[in-house]
Amino acid sequence: MDNLEGAPLVFFVNGKKVSIENPDPRDTLIKYLRRNLYLTGTKEACSQGACGACTVMISYYNHQQKKIVHYSCNACMTLLCTLHGTAVTTVEGVGSSRNGLHTVQSNLMKYHGLQCGFCTPGMVMTMYTLFRNNPSPTHDDLERALEGNLCRCTGYRPILEAFKKSCPCGESKCMSKDGGAEEVKADKSNDLKPSKDESQEVIFPNELQTDSSYRQKSVKFIGGGYTWYRPTSLKDLFQIRANYSDAVIVMGAQTVLGANIRNRRTTPVLVSSTAVPELKEIKQDEKEFVFGSAVTFAEMEQFLLPLKTKDEKDDEGTLVAALLEGLRWIAADQVRNVATIGGHLMTTGPHDLQTFMLTCEATLTFQYSADKEPFTVKYSQDFNPTSLPAGSVLISVRIPKLLKNEFIFFGKQPYRRGMDYAIVNAGLLVKMDEKSSQITDLRFCVGNIENKPQYLAKVGESSRGSLCTDKLLENVGQVIVEELQNSKAEQLRYKITLASAFFFKFYKRLCKLLKLSDEAAFGLTPTTSKGTQIYDVPTADGSTIVWQPVPHMAAKSITTGEAVYVDDIPEYKTELALALVPSTRARAKILSVDFSNALKAPGVVDFVDHTDVPGKNLYGLLFPESQLFAHPEVFFYGQPIAGILANTREEARAAVKLVKVEYEDLPAVFTIDDAIEKASLFDFSNSTVRGNLEQGMKESEVTLEGVIETGAQEHLYLEPCSTLVVPKKEDKEMEVFTGTQDATGTQKHIGEFLGIPCNRVNVRVKRIGGAFGGKSIDIVPQTGIASVAAWKVNRPVRCVFPRDYDVRSTGKRHGTKAFYKVGFNKDGKINALSLKFYANAGVVQAMSPFVIDQMMTGLASIYDIPHYHSTGHLCKTNIPSSTAMRGFGLPQAHFVIQTMMFDIAKHLNMSFNKLRELNTYREGDTDPYGKVLTDFNLPRCWDDCKSQSKFETMEKEVATFNKENTCRKRGLAMSPCIFYFGYPPLLINQAGALVNVYLDGSVLISHGGIEMGQGLHTKMCQIASTVLGVPLDLVHLCETNTYSVPNTVESGGSFAADINGGAVKIACETIKERLKVLEQAMPQASWNELIQAAFFSRISLSATGYYKPRDKGYDFSKQEEGGEYCQYHGYGAACSLVEVDVLTGEHQILKTDIVYDVGKSLNPAIDVGQIEGGFVQGCGMMTSEQLTVNPDVGSIEAFGPINYKIPGIRNIPKDFNVSLLKEAAGGHKDLYSSKGIGEPPFLLAVSVHLALREAVLAAREANGLSGNCRLECPATPERIRMACAGPIVDRCIGVKDEKKKIQV
């Protein structure tokens, strides 16, 4: 084997053969696709295998089975050398805008299943692969396939709908009633027919079918200082191991090992064992299952599924059912298709199946030489791969079959159902006496409490000889606590309750199997997703294009992977890559920075720091307060100190680790409580005063005090912050391609950093792959440092943040803490409210003053409280400065006020809905800021939502359900919302546009807004089409740039369509007015004839539009006399039904009904998508998205989707219904009576948290606890479970949680 010469790596991409001499084993498929083949449809969003944006289909020919095998995988995790003899299909190989779209692509367009579009190619490839393998998937198959694909924009519902309609089965199974049927009122006027037929599918290369050597011949690749072996026999494998004792065995390389290879942290000899036939065998006999170590989880599942019985009840307690349960929830299909059982067991855990193998006492077979006999090792909690004889190779895993009267169970509790690690997993193997209900032997194992799975021997000892009675449960519960209470794990108390809960569940299921009990209603009710969308669509007679649900204008480009984002721009010949040198301290003095080792690294060209800034090293929104390069102190973990320039981003990132920075640590502050205690507050504050607070409290019959907190939230946009700066050859001009929400602000800052005027800086934005407020001021460090670097070397410079740096160094939604005292009467009427509000602003104020202003208005937005006093303070801490995020302070304020109302209702034992209805403003009332509430549509939204959701009926059903179920409870709650459109300061309520009409009649629009998934460009084109009276396909919008339209304002506040639409409308009306004379003279002329005549008549066909709504701004210091703080209001209401697993704290949203007022929607399909997406993102804030800080170094502990859990396909409302309020008055009359959208629906997710509180209270009541109970935000499984209380929690009260998570 070692005599092999280095061979070329051969595989196919979209039918074309690729041959690479000397491939570098560290290279990934995504790197090669994007930077060598320029197939940029495959997106690099996380490089953690956790988002699915880089999904591709891999195909190979199985010569033994004589068939082609297809599977999906993450290109970011797939090492290039593993692809020898395979065919890769990317989104470009599925369909194109030129040659026709595949049905999957066209239906995503038709059913509005895309917004920012960055996740879309991965969605296409996931579903395309599923349909290639399974032409008749069930509804659950579709949802399962999408578990590995994240979307931050859409809320998933339209994606799922599009794929159901794409099913090759003709909608017979996935759309059937038992598969989750749903009635969707889709747009009938845009019946897009896919133009791509099966004959256009990429044909599997014949060469790979006829030439078996690709898969059956051992090969060796040499490149990048590494040697990669792919043996095809055990003999060859052992020979390599004999020659290279430190050679690393590579299996799926989906976890730690893959990362080590990509980052050059392994020995230079790598051996891929996945092509060794002996390691791919699956066998069974009467005694055991035998799985070769290179068998993937998907292959294990495929083998086991036919062994299940048709009736799932008959599988309960069987080995096959338990093993399938373990396999089912490991990662997602993209990982399961590649990850192997051998790699899983031989790497650091505890992984799910390690706990399972410990439970069933599996045996591992090893061999270290061809002339030596294999030896076996029982998988125990003391198993250590490093203690094996040198050169040992895991051959197979032997799982013993159950004997008579043996039963096995396995379970896993993740933070989020679908594509997540376990908080705790557990397995139970029990043997019963054949003639009685006596336990003769029992093994109970748990994982993820310590760094390896644990066999709780004392549990078995205390159970043997016992009868299956409740007394046993009590005894074992105490033993579990005793065995685990000395662990040093985080969340120890909760983890012990989970271990106890799993034993309880397994025990009850066993009792039901043995017919000793009927009680086995555990876990959440199985269900799949459906939904309806209700809105008015005018007759499609061509008279107006606005108000029509037309698809996203870039949908074809997005679904085919042709849409260009910043990092999709081809590399310039002289381009350099930039990586930032981050602070590794939260607060410290910089004593020295040594670049010497970094400059010696391969590919490194130069470095850049504060000494290279030609202009100012400071920037800010209100005043210069932030440093571009930190000097002489650092104030948060991840703050950029310098940058390294190299030929490739890999070289630049590697060199960053060689920069030596010496610090002198200084005291740091992280949390609101610390900031209050240490008086670390900014001077800025906001106070709202109405009436006489002291008098109001005295007049109140009841007073109540409380504390309410919300955690920070990460934007987790799919496209990481990306910038490409191209210095021009003359006049100090700079061209900047970036994903900013504020093109002019970015232009201004770059000019100040470089000391050049703004007219030398052209900031260009085609589109952004998600932003949500996080790419406004927070992208300035990247664009600024890249510009300084490009200025220094006078070469193009590209900077793309790695996902971990993006998450840890950029601002978040503000964490908040509110102290309230409220006075009210016994009938529920609120008289007085005192609120003291604190927000964690981070290092500098940045956007925080604007956010706290918005929070204050939000607190007083819905309920008419005559005596009111609120004060908002900003805490100065050593985390990245908090910033804008969807809702801009209103979600926190809305959560606080709704939570307070909940507390009042429970205190009075009064209907929560009745309390709020009693205190809600009425038409014509005036709020504390002087705004007269006209066209006050909130009551209509509330009543319609209550009616459509059938709230009163559901309320009774929930009460009945909770009486009948002990271990799962349901909760039901409604929530209203009000949102303000238009910024208080007048200067940011303006916009410009440029409209050009060309001689062929085509129209080009430019405006100052940024397209980031909200459909802004589509709406602008609809407006132009309507005003000019031309077909929509004649209108085009290329990009936003500061040379075409100057002095733009940030795109945010859900107001970008209003102001930019107004500008586009005025520009088009100007052109239309100029053409009037010709229209009168040529009444029968076509549009093209009019344009030709205008040119010959020397009538300008280019016009600018400038729009400025309202004449009064707002001064918060004057309150009711302050002016107008907004243009108009938007209203909405939601009703959510949740179900909680009382034993684990896991929940699901069974149903959500939303009624929202968008006036007369410019595009109802886009607006419904914004409602769904905003609501689901809000659900993340309310439940799963918790940000914590490591107090030792000050780093945010989350570093990407791998450990920061945004909602996935399994976490959306199972029944998701959205209605647009009909005949809604009060819209923006300048713009077709429409209203803004995007942020307001986020607020409605508070209904989910309120419903969870109702479910928790039901659980507490069942456990004999009365009264109200606090539930923090986010309501994680831990918080829900511990709030539910009960005997299991009571047993854990004495357990010390020494390692507590510190939420920010």
Side-chain angles (χ1 to χ4, degrees), residues 897-966:
I897 204 70
Q898 292 300 323
T899 299
M900 184 197 75
M901 298 298 283
F902 186 95
D903 292 344
I904 295 171
K906 296 307 173 185
H907 187 84
L908 292 172
N909 194 25
M910 180 180 183
S911 162
F912 188 23
N913 283 358
K914 184 178 178 181
L915 174 75
R916 290 179 291 180
E917 290 164 359
L918 177 66
N919 289 282
T920 299
Y921 283 113
R922 302 290 189 266
E923 176 78 18
D925 285 350
T926 302
D927 70 16
Y929 302 97
K931 183 77 171 178
V932 178
L933 301 175
T934 57
D935 296 318
F936 188 64
N937 293 328
L938 182 61
R940 282 192 58 204
C941 291
W942 179 267
D943 292 341
D944 283 4
C945 183
K946 186 190 287 188
S947 173
Q948 291 179 26
S949 65
K950 300 179 181 178
F951 182 87
E952 294 178 356
T953 300
M954 279 206 299
E955 197 172 34
K956 295 175 182 177
E957 292 173 351
V958 166
T960 301
F961 180 90
N962 289 341
K963 284 181 182 178
E964 295 174 351
N965 287 269
T966 304

Side-chain angles (χ1 to χ4, degrees), residues 695-883:
Q695 176 187 338
M697 289 294 181
K698 286 181 179 179
E699 293 174 351
S700 299
E701 297 173 348
V702 186
T703 61
L704 184 67
E705 297 183 48
V707 181
I708 303 168
E709 294 181 72
T710 67
Q713 185 181 24
E714 161 63 22
H715 303 82
L716 209 80
Y717 32 71
L718 266 290
E719 181 193 19
C721 288
S722 307
T723 296
L724 172 62
V725 180
V726 183
K728 299 301 183 180
K729 293 296 183 183
E730 58 181 324
D731 297 327
K732 300 180 181 180
E733 293 180 354
M734 304 290 281
E735 190 170 31
V736 182
F737 302 90
T738 188
T740 179
Q741 292 178 247
D742 186 3
T744 291
T746 301
Q747 178 193 43
K748 169 182 171 290
H749 290 306
I750 291 173
E752 291 173 348
F753 296 143
L754 301 183
I756 60 177
C758 286
N759 64 2
R760 301 295 201 278
V761 181
N762 186 18
V763 175
R764 301 176 61 181
V765 186
K766 182 78 172 177
R767 60 175 60 84
I768 308 179
F772 316 112
K775 292 179 179 175
S776 182
I777 193 70
D778 283 83
I779 206 166
V780 170
Q782 185 189 66
T783 57
I785 294 174
S787 297
V788 171
W791 180 274
K792 179 177 182 179
V793 297
N794 199 26
R795 294 168 63 175
V797 169
R798 187 185 305 246
C799 182
V800 178
F801 281 173
R803 179 58 66 178
D804 59 345
Y805 183 76
D806 198 313
V807 170
R808 284 176 165 166
S809 67
T810 57
K812 321 295 177 201
R813 182 187 300 282
H814 295 70
T816 63
K817 188 167 189 174
F819 300 85
Y820 75 82
K821 181 178 180 180
V822 60
F824 49 92
N825 296 332
K826 293 178 181 179
D827 64 358
K829 183 61 181 175
I830 300 172
N831 299 317
L833 173 62
S834 172
L835 267 169
K836 189 173 284 188
F837 207 90
Y838 293 89
N840 192 335
V843 175
V844 298
Q845 292 185 77
M847 284 197 175
S848 295
F850 302 109
V851 173
I852 201 77
D853 285 345
Q854 188 84 328
M855 287 178 181
M856 292 302 100
T857 59
L859 289 167
S861 65
I862 297 177
Y863 303 113
D864 187 6
I865 303 173
H867 306 287
Y868 177 87
H869 186 188
S870 67
T871 305
H873 301 279
L874 298 176
C875 299
K876 185 176 183 179
T877 61
N878 296 104
I879 62 173
S881 295
S882 299
T883 191

